[in-house]
Amino acid sequence: MNYGEMKKQCPNIRQNLADCNCSYTSCEKTGLCCRCVAYHRQNRELPACFFPDDVEKGWDRSFRNFIDTWKDKV
Ligand code: SF4
């Protein structure tokens, strides 16, 4: 099944898109959170929504950037 078909079948697609802060607008996985998590996990990264908007814009979704972003805020 391609991503377009998956989006048609996902019962959460509208809410997922409303909650998504990802600025990489050409991504075909946008709104398919399960595919987004799986993709970034295999690259040792986290999805955009784990980062504040100003950091997310840099598209560095690495574990290191996640730790650096939040280490003094939790
Ligand atoms: S976080 Fe990554 S996989 Fe998810 S929508 Fe953005 S670019 Fe696509």
Side-chain angles (χ1 to χ4, degrees):
M1 187 184 305
N2 63 38
Y3 291 123
E5 284 300 315
M6 291 174 73
K7 288 182 183 184
K8 286 180 193 165
Q9 294 190 20
C10 177
N12 300 314
I13 190 73
R14 290 181 67 184
Q15 189 63 57
N16 289 350
L17 289 171
D19 293 341
C20 183
N21 72 337
C22 185
S23 62
Y24 190 74
T25 54
S26 61
C27 179
E28 57 193 355
K29 292 177 280 297
T30 304
L32 294 171
C33 300
C34 55
R35 295 297 86 209
C36 179
V37 168
Y39 171 79
H40 284 293
R41 184 178 56 216
Q42 76 180 11
N43 291 316
R44 300 175 58 79
E45 298 172 343
L46 291 159
C49 56
F50 283 75
F51 297 90
D53 291 351
D54 60 324
V55 177
E56 183 284 324
K57 287 181 199 162
W59 296 350
D60 179 353
R61 313 210 189 292
S62 64
F63 290 164
R64 171 52 55 200
N65 195 36
F66 176 81
I67 292 166
D68 289 345
T69 298
W70 294 107
K71 67 182 179 208
D72 297 326
K73 299 183 176 86
V74 293

